[in-house]
Amino acid sequence: MLHSDKVLVFSPLEITLFLVLLAASMSGFWMRFGKIVRKIREAKPEADFRLTRLGKRAWDFVWEVMLQAKVIRERPLPGIAHAFVFWGFCAFALVTLNHLAAGVGFPFLSRETWFGKFYFDFAAAFAVAVAVSITGLFIRRFVVRPRWLGEKVSIESGVIAFLIFTLMITYLAAFWRGDSRALWWSHTLALLIFLPLIPHTKHLHLVLSPVTVFLKRGEFSDIPPLAGDEDFGLDTGKDLTRVVALQAYSCVECGRCSQHCPALNTRKLLDPKKIALGVRGYLNEFGAASEEPLIGQYIAQEAVFQCTTCGACEFQCPVGIEHLPIIIGLRRGAVNTGKWEDSYGTKLFLALERNGNALGFSAGERDQFVQKQRLPIFDGTQEYCLWLGCMGAYDPQGREIIASFARVMNHVGATYGVLRREKCTGDPARRLGNDLLFQQLAEQNLQALALAKVAKIVSICPHCVRTISTDWKEFGEAPPIEHHSEFMARHRDRLPRTVTQDKIVYHDPCYLGRYRGVYDEPRSILALAGEVIDPPRSRERSFCCGAGGGLAFLGEETGERVSHARAAELAATGASVVGAACPFCNTMFRDALAAVSPSPPKLLDIAQIAAAGLPKS
Ligand code: SF4
Ligand code: SF4
C-alpha cells in the first residue's frame, strides 16, 4: 500500500513478519545511533555555549538545511540533485508513515480524500525528481569520480543510492499501475534495510546535520575562550565538547573543505576533512572520557600547524562544521602542554614577549619610523587612532603602505595620530594557540588605548582589524575599528581618478573577505586607477596567500608554497598590477610573484594606488 488506491489486506503471518522486520530494522538503527548519542553526551558541555540568537539560528536552519542553499551555491549541479533528494525525503515522510501504518492495517491517507489525492500526486512528482537526482549523483560518484570525494570507491554510497532509487521506483510503479503485494514488500524491504544503514554510514548526516547547523557555536571562526586555568585547549578526549563531538559525527565526507584548503592544495599533510574525521575516529575508539592525546593516531600535529586559518573549509562546509575552533583548540592543547616544539614558533613567541612585535625589532625602530614619516602622536584631539600593526611599523613594504595611507588621510582632511607605544595585537599568538601571550598583548594594548582615550581606530591590516574587533572582546571592549579599505571607500568621492589602461587583479585577503565580509570597498578604490578584474578564485572563494594563522613566521617546508600557487594564479590573469589590501599578502607576494613570472605584475596596496594620484607635497 504505497498509496491507498486500492486497499491491500495482509494475512496475520505477513503482519507478524512485517513487525519482526520493522523491530529488527529499528533496533539496527538504535544500536549504532544510541551509541553515537552516548558518545556525544559523554563529552563535556561547551563552557560559553548559549542558545541565544534564535532568529539567526532559525534563519541558518531554513537557509542551509531546508533550502539547501549552501550545498547548491557551492556546487550547483550536484547541489540541486542533493537538494531534490533531501526535499524528497521530507515529502516522503508522510507517505512512509502511511506505508508503515498500512502494514498493520491502519492506513491514514486515502486517495478517496482530496488531501490524500493531492499528497500522493505531490509525492509522485518528488519521486521522479529524486530518482533522476540519485541516478545523477551515482554517476558522479562512480563514473566521474571527482578527486575530492576520496580515492576509495564507497560501496556504501552505492548501496544507499540503490535503495533510494528502489524506494522511488516502487512508489511510482504502484502509483501508475496500482498496488501489489510484490511492490509493497519491495518498498518495505528497501525502507527497512535503509534505516539501520543511516547511522552506520556517512548518511548519519541526514539525522545529525540539521541539529549541527542549528547548534553552531557562533559567528564565523568563533574561537571559544578557555574556560579557566585548568582548560588547556583540546589536548585529550576529556577536552572535547559536545558541539565538537556532534560536528565530528556530522561530516558527510563531501570534500568541499578539502577542495578549497590551501594547505592540501599545495601538498601539505593537512586536510580539513581529516580533522573532522580524525576527531570522529578518536571518539569511536577512545570516547570523550579518555586521557589519550588527541594528537597522535588520528590527527597529526604537523597537519594542525599547517593551517593558515583562512577559513575556506568552515565557509564551505554544508553541515555546519566549525573547523577553526577545532584546529586552534588542538594548537592550544599542543602549545599549552609544551608538546609543540618548533624553532620558528619559539622565536616568534620570544619576539612577541620581549619586543612586543612579531618581527623581533626593538620599539625604537618604530619610533624612528614615526618620526621620519612625521606621523602625529595620538593626543585625544584627533578623530582616529592610526593603528600601525607589526607590519606597518617594521616591515619596509608595510611602512610604505602606512605612508601612502597617511597621505590619503591628510588629503581627505581626517585627523589621526599613532599611539606612542603599540604592541602586536596578539594575532599570531592567538591563532597558534598561545593564549597566555595573546592575553598579555591584548590587555596591554587595551590599556594603552583606554589611557589615550581613543574613540576610533583605522588599520591597514585585516588581521589587526579582526583581532581587535573580535578576539580582544574576551578581555575588554576595544574602540570600533575599520579597515583602510572601508575608510577610503567612504571618502572615495574626494580621491582623484587616475584611470589608466592598467588591468588590476584584486586578491581578496581571507581576513578581510571571509572574516569581515568586505569585498566591494577595496575594488571601488582600485577602480579609481584602472579596470579591476578577479582571479578565478575570488571573493568568498578566494585562495589564501599563505600568511595567516601565524604561518608568515613559521617555515613552510612541505610541498609547494601557498604564496607561489596564488601568485601564479594572479599573474596568469595577465593583469599589469596586483592590488592587495593586507600587508601580510603583500609580503607573501613580494617574492612569490617574481618567482612564478619572468615579468611579474606590479604589486601595490590599495592605499598606494589611491595615493598615487594625490598631489605631491
Ligand atoms: S582554515 Fe584554510 S588552511 Fe586551515 S584547514 Fe581550513 S581551508 Fe585549510
Ligand atoms: S567537514 Fe564539512 S565540508 Fe569537509 S568533508 Fe565533512 S561535511 Fe564536507
Side-chain angles (χ1 to χ4, degrees), residues 81-249:
H82 182 276
F84 271 118
V85 175
F86 171 75
W87 293 328
F89 276 15
C90 299
F92 262 79
L94 198 60
V95 172
T96 303
L97 281 179
N98 182 60
H99 182 87
L100 296 176
V104 286
F106 297 107
F108 52 83
L109 273 184
S110 161
R111 256 186 117 69
E112 305 302 313
T113 64
W114 73 265
F115 180 74
K117 182 167 172 4
F118 159 77
Y119 206 86
F120 284 126
D121 291 355
F122 173 73
F126 268 102
V128 173
V130 172
V132 171
S133 300
I134 203 74
T135 308
L137 291 173
F138 180 88
I139 293 170
R140 177 171 181 263
R141 182 170 284 273
F142 291 94
V143 182
V144 182
R145 294 184 62 189
R147 65 184 262 242
W148 304 114
L149 294 180
E151 305 273 292
K152 251 181 28 204
V153 175
S154 163
I155 303 295
E156 61 181 54
S157 299
V159 174
I160 295 273
F162 173 74
L163 290 171
I164 295 173
F165 188 75
T166 307
L167 285 169
M168 298 303 117
I169 290 301
T170 47
Y171 178 83
L172 287 171
F175 183 80
W176 275 305
R177 306 294 303 271
D179 284 331
S180 73
R181 280 196 146 57
L183 282 176
W184 192 91
W185 274 108
S186 309
H187 192 88
T188 305
L189 286 176
L191 199 61
L192 298 185
I193 297 171
F194 182 62
L195 186 65
L197 279 182
I198 293 173
H200 285 91
T201 63
K202 64 188 179 199
H203 296 84
L204 177 61
H205 79 280
L206 282 173
V207 189
L208 291 188
S209 67
V211 186
T212 314
V213 168
F214 191 75
L215 294 181
K216 272 194 277 190
R217 291 195 64 262
E219 300 299 331
F220 180 73
S221 181
D222 196 356
I223 312 301
L226 291 175
D229 294 345
E230 296 303 308
D231 187 353
F232 296 128
L234 301 180
D235 180 30
T236 71
K238 282 183 181 288
D239 303 314
L240 290 172
T241 63
R242 287 180 188 162
V243 170
V244 172
L246 174 67
Q247 293 184 0
Y249 279 111

Side-chain angles (χ1 to χ4, degrees), residues 251-257 273 276 317-319 321 323:
C251 176
V252 62
E253 300 174 42
C254 64
R256 283 173 163 83
C257 54
K273 172 168 87 173
C317 184
V319 297
I321 295 175
H323 301 72

Side-chain angles (χ1 to χ4, degrees), residues 261-262 270 272 307-313 324 327:
C261 174
L270 172 63
C307 173
T308 67
T309 66
C310 74
C313 48
L324 285 159
I327 292 172

Side-chain angles (χ1 to χ4, degrees), residues 410-546:
N410 290 334
H411 178 77
V412 301
T415 57
Y416 63 91
V418 299
L419 288 183
R420 253 181 223 291
R421 287 277 170 269
E422 175 200 287
K423 295 204 166 180
C424 172
T425 59
D427 163 72
R430 170 72 151 182
R431 318 282 163 214
L432 284 169
N434 189 337
D435 286 272
L436 190 62
L437 184 51
F438 168 64
Q439 178 171 357
Q440 283 166 4
L441 293 165
E443 285 177 346
Q444 287 165 4
N445 281 318
L446 276 164
Q447 210 176 13
L449 287 164
L451 273 176
K453 298 198 170 43
V454 169
K456 274 196 248 175
I457 313 174
V458 62
S459 161
I460 61 160
C461 177
H463 296 261
C464 294
V465 173
R466 169 69 183 196
T467 309
I468 293 174
S469 64
T470 307
D471 297 84
W472 282 9
K473 279 196 183 131
E474 267 178 49
F475 309 109
E477 201 58 47
I481 181 167
E482 68 179 347
H483 185 246
H484 70 323
S485 62
E486 296 166 281
F487 174 91
M488 290 194 290
R490 262 207 328 281
H491 296 88
R492 188 174 180 271
D493 292 347
R494 295 164 66 188
L495 296 174
R497 294 178 70 82
T498 55
V499 178
T500 60
Q501 294 304 310
D502 281 340
K503 272 195 180 153
I504 309 171
V505 61
Y506 176 60
H507 163 78
D508 286 282
C510 308
Y511 274 68
L512 189 61
R514 275 189 293 272
Y515 275 74
R516 195 167 169 84
V518 172
Y519 299 106
D520 295 330
E521 290 86 340
R523 285 177 170 81
S524 76
I525 300 305
L526 296 179
L528 292 169
E531 183 193 346
V532 184
I533 59 168
D534 281 343
R537 291 179 282 191
S538 61
R539 301 181 81 93
E540 292 91 343
R541 282 156 218 89
S542 181
F543 192 76
C544 184
C545 72

